């Protein structure tokens, strides 16, 4: 079973992330907890009703387009298709601060040690580390920096206010 980091613990991943096939089709398993692409969920949400379903935002998906309260989902994943694509950081922060999402916010895709601290500061609490990376080593990345000057989801006050 794949492993993920949730709330600073390495645990078995009880969710199955459903990815589109090369032809764009999506085959959702009949049973179990699934994370489906957000656009797929929008198109098939009635058929998925009654199942444990999470959604995965692509970088060009807008959290503002959610037709339900974000807390409807136990898990929301945000895809980082490449290290150089930072739009997912904004999606995470918007979900936490503007939509009040309190569930599992999971970073998926090109996720590795050097990005974990920044993702955590934006509100992510779960990380599906790339398969070619050591998840135990990646976990150490959460503590790469002990202080940050800027305000964040993790520390709403900037450093100068925390020092006063």
């Amino acid at each position: 079973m794949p492993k993920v980091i949730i709330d600073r613990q390495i645990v078995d991943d009880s969710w199955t992330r459903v990815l589109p096939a090369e032809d764009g089709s999506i085959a959702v398993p009949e049973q179990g907890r699934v994370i489906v692409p957000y656009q797929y969920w929008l198109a098939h949400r009635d058929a998925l009703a009654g199942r444990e379903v999470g959604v995965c935002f692509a970088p060009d998906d807008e959290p503002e387009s959610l037709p339900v309260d974000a807390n409807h989902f136990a898990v929301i994943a945000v895809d980082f298709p490449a290290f150089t694509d930072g739009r997912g950081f904004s999606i995470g922060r918007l979900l936490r601060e503007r939509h009040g999402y309190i569930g599992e916010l999971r970073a998926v895709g090109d996720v590795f040690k050097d990005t974990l601290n920044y993702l955590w500061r934006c509100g992510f609490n779960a990380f599906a580390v790339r398969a070619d990376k050591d998840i135990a080593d990646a976990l150490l990345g959460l503590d790469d920096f002990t202080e940050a000057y800027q305000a964040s989801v993790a520390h709403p006050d900037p450093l100068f206010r925390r020092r006063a």
Side-chain angles (χ1 to χ4, degrees):
M1 178 174 275
K3 303 280 188 187
V4 292
I5 298 170
I6 300 176
D7 296 328
R8 296 180 173 264
Q9 301 291 316
I10 298 172
V11 298
D12 291 334
D13 188 0
S14 62
W15 293 86
T16 300
R17 183 176 173 211
V18 178
L19 296 170
E22 287 187 26
D23 65 358
S25 65
I26 294 179
V28 178
E30 295 284 326
Q31 299 178 354
R33 307 165 95 189
V34 292
I35 299 173
V36 298
Y38 176 62
Q39 296 301 323
Y40 181 86
W41 178 81
L42 283 175
H44 300 90
R45 65 190 250 201
D46 291 336
L48 295 167
R51 291 196 57 184
E52 278 194 279
V53 176
V55 293
C56 182
F57 280 87
D60 56 350
D61 289 333
E62 298 287 338
E64 286 76 16
S65 67
L66 264 172
V68 297
D69 181 358
N71 288 303
H72 169 80
F73 302 102
V75 61
I76 295 178
V78 178
D79 188 25
F80 292 84
F83 168 70
T84 55
D85 190 335
R87 293 175 287 177
F89 288 92
S90 299
I91 292 171
R93 191 161 183 165
L94 286 170
L95 286 166
R96 289 289 192 212
E97 292 183 340
R98 193 172 292 170
H99 296 275
Y101 183 62
I102 59 173
E104 180 184 323
L105 185 57
R106 180 183 294 200
V108 300
D110 196 10
V111 175
F112 54 96
K113 179 182 179 181
D114 293 349
T115 61
L116 263 58
N117 186 280
Y118 299 108
L119 289 163
W120 175 74
R121 290 178 42 77
C122 289
F124 289 88
N125 69 322
F127 312 93
V129 177
R130 278 184 7 200
D132 64 329
K133 300 295 183 185
D134 180 352
I135 193 169
D137 184 52
L139 179 60
L140 300 174
L142 287 170
D143 296 320
D144 275 351
F145 306 102
T146 56
E147 288 293 343
Y149 291 111
Q150 302 87 4
S152 68
V153 173
H155 296 289
D157 292 324
L159 182 61
F160 74 91
R161 289 204 174 131
R162 284 182 271 146
R163 293 179 67 187

